[in-house]
Amino acid sequence: MPDDAQVTRRPGGRTAHTRERVLSAVAAILTEEGFDAVSVDAVAARSRVHRTTVYRRWRDPGGLLADALDAAREQAWEPPDTGSLRGDLTAVNAQVIEALTGRPPVTTALIAASFRSPAAAHALRAFWEDRYARAAVVVTRAIARGDAAPDADPRAVLVAATAPLFHELALMRAPAAPGLAERYAALAAAAALGG
Amino acid sequence: MPDDAQVTRRPGGRTAHTRERVLSAVAAILTEEGFDAVSVDAVAARSRVHRTTVYRRWRDPGGLLADALDAAREQAWEPPDTGSLRGDLTAVNAQVIEALTGRPPVTTALIAASFRSPAAAHALRAFWEDRYARAAVVVTRAIARGDAAPDADPRAVLVAATAPLFHELALMRAPAAPGLAERYAALAAAAALGG
DNA sequence: TCGTTAATGCTACATCCGTCGCGTTAACGA
DNA sequence: TCGTTAACGCGACGGATGTAGCATTAACGA
């Protein structure tokens, strides 16, 4: 088996079409039946791509979900700018809540898959690190405005605002209570001001 | 099949002994091989309890882990009292970090199992709700001391302090950086003071 | 102590999951 | 256009997982 450095990939026509069919099947199954139903066999049947192909290219459900996340990430994300740190964090939190409660439930599926699939774990972490890095500007803007202490750590503030949502919604499986986005955004904004 | 209301259970000798052997095997496998290795077959083999019995009583790995958590919970937990909210939250966080990084990795195993097993999901949520309820006193003490605003929500403060640890360590699989317990404890304590 | 039956062990079975080796199709660059 | 071979499809296989029905053991209360 030649290693990757010596193989010329064929990303064109058929291969791209196969990927599209498979990822479309993943999204459909996720939306209609939830993440437990995303298996290689189910995706293969739905997409009419042979199951051996799915195993070879994606390895397991986590690989499928990670690729679905990659495909969705092709659209650039920019953090909100509402004029206040509290407003920005509330808006970020609203997006997290939408991701955790909306359809298709990609984030929850990836979290679940991440415990069994290195590909899913890696995709999830990279996604979140990217989001936190991009969102850091909401804290640096707040510092410039005097809305946050000069020594406030942007990443820690963002994690403090968003992590409770993952904990409450994904891990504790609580319903999304009204005001949830605002509650932890307000606490994180107050923390950023207090140092 | 008579329903549960009409069945007289036999919790004695053999049944208790079976449970003990099984839960001991769960702990051993978790400690030595990690949560992926906790399967019904592995536990059955290790404990010398027949696999059918394990399926019938515990249903799946999640059920085994949930029962392991129940057994461990028979020791009462009390929140720390260090004299300051920041200190208390730091101590609580240190315990969460120990649970997430120490051996046996019960919490991480339960989180993983909770996506496939209602019993695990339920046990995890009940455990955390109990912990948050018991720990609420650290915030009410802080309010009485003037260490926190009178309108600080104890549960939200506790979630804000601890959730980042689950996010960083369990979901993002980051290493436990030095000062992690203190960092999010300090932010939550500042948030509690700022309202 | 005895009768009832919950709890357990055993064997067999079906389905799902993952892999293998071979044949076929089609994506490339020359 | 042609040759090479990556990508895909197919059928077969073995192991893991979960269930069903029957037999055996032992936990209860009377």
Side-chain angles (χ1 to χ4, degrees):
Chain A
M1 272 311 273
D3 63 36
D4 272 9
Q6 294 165 32
V7 176
T8 305
R9 296 295 175 189
R10 300 183 189 176
R14 187 175 68 162
T15 301
H17 188 224
T18 299
R19 184 184 184 221
E20 190 184 313
R21 284 154 68 198
V22 164
L23 295 189
S24 179
V26 169
I29 292 167
L30 253 190
T31 297
E32 293 164 22
E33 299 173 58
F35 65 81
D36 266 350
V38 178
S39 67
V40 169
D41 273 15
V43 170
R46 182 87 184 223
S47 60
R48 301 296 175 92
V49 170
H50 200 271
R51 60 192 288 275
T52 307
T53 299
V54 179
Y55 273 113
R56 276 193 295 240
R57 269 183 73 177
W58 287 277
R59 194 173 183 281
D60 57 28
L64 288 165
L65 291 162
D67 201 22
L69 184 66
D70 276 358
R73 274 177 81 180
E74 280 149 15
Q75 312 162 41
W77 178 79
E78 292 305 322
D81 187 352
T82 64
S84 74
L85 180 59
R86 183 170 169 157
D88 288 350
L89 294 179
T90 300
V92 167
N93 275 3
Q95 288 180 34
V96 171
I97 291 172
E98 176 56 33
L100 289 176
T101 61
R103 294 273 162 159
V106 176
T107 304
T108 305
L110 268 164
I111 293 172
S114 72
F115 292 97
R116 335 203 76 84
S117 155
H122 182 262
L124 201 52
R125 181 171 177 178
F127 175 75
W128 278 328
E129 289 293 0
D130 181 63
R131 282 292 168 104
Y132 288 131
R134 286 168 185 263
V137 68
V138 307
V139 179
T140 54
R141 281 196 306 234
I143 291 168
R145 273 193 310 257
D147 235 5
D151 65 342
D153 173 351
R155 191 177 179 285
V157 171
L158 286 160
V159 171
T162 55
L165 307 178
F166 293 106
H167 195 58
E168 296 268 22
L169 302 182
L171 299 187
M172 293 181 80
R173 298 165 178 81
L180 192 62
E182 172 78 16
R183 178 182 313 152
Y184 292 109
L187 282 180
L193 195 55
Chain B
M1 272 311 271
D3 62 37
D4 272 8
Q6 296 167 31
V7 176
T8 304
R9 296 294 176 189
R10 300 184 189 174
R14 184 175 67 163
T15 301
H17 188 226
T18 298
R19 183 183 185 223
E20 190 183 313
R21 283 155 66 201
V22 164
L23 294 189
S24 180
V26 170
I29 292 168
L30 252 190
T31 298
E32 293 164 22
E33 300 173 60
F35 65 81
D36 266 351
V38 178
S39 67
V40 169
D41 272 18
V43 170
R46 182 89 184 222
S47 60
R48 301 297 175 92
V49 170
H50 201 270
R51 60 193 288 275
T52 306
T53 298
V54 179
Y55 273 114
R56 275 190 296 239
R57 267 183 74 178
W58 287 278
R59 194 171 182 279
D60 56 27
L64 288 164
L65 292 163
D67 203 21
L69 184 65
D70 276 358
R73 276 176 79 179
E74 281 149 14
Q75 313 163 41
W77 178 79
E78 292 304 324
D81 188 350
T82 63
S84 74
L85 179 59
R86 184 170 168 159
D88 289 350
L89 294 178
T90 300
V92 168
N93 275 3
Q95 288 180 34
V96 171
I97 291 172
E98 176 57 33
L100 288 176
T101 60
R103 293 275 163 158
V106 176
T107 305
T108 306
L110 269 165
I111 293 172
S114 72
F115 292 98
R116 335 203 75 85
S117 155
H122 182 262
L124 201 51
R125 180 172 180 176
F127 175 76
W128 278 327
E129 289 293 1
D130 181 61
R131 281 292 168 103
Y132 289 132
R134 286 167 186 264
V137 67
V138 306
V139 179
T140 53
R141 282 196 305 235
I143 290 168
R145 274 193 309 256
D147 234 3
D151 67 340
D153 173 349
R155 190 174 179 288
V157 169
L158 286 159
V159 171
T162 55
L165 306 178
F166 293 105
H167 195 57
E168 295 270 22
L169 301 182
L171 300 187
M172 294 181 80
R173 298 164 176 85
L180 191 63
E182 171 77 15
R183 179 183 312 151
Y184 292 108
L187 281 181
L193 194 55

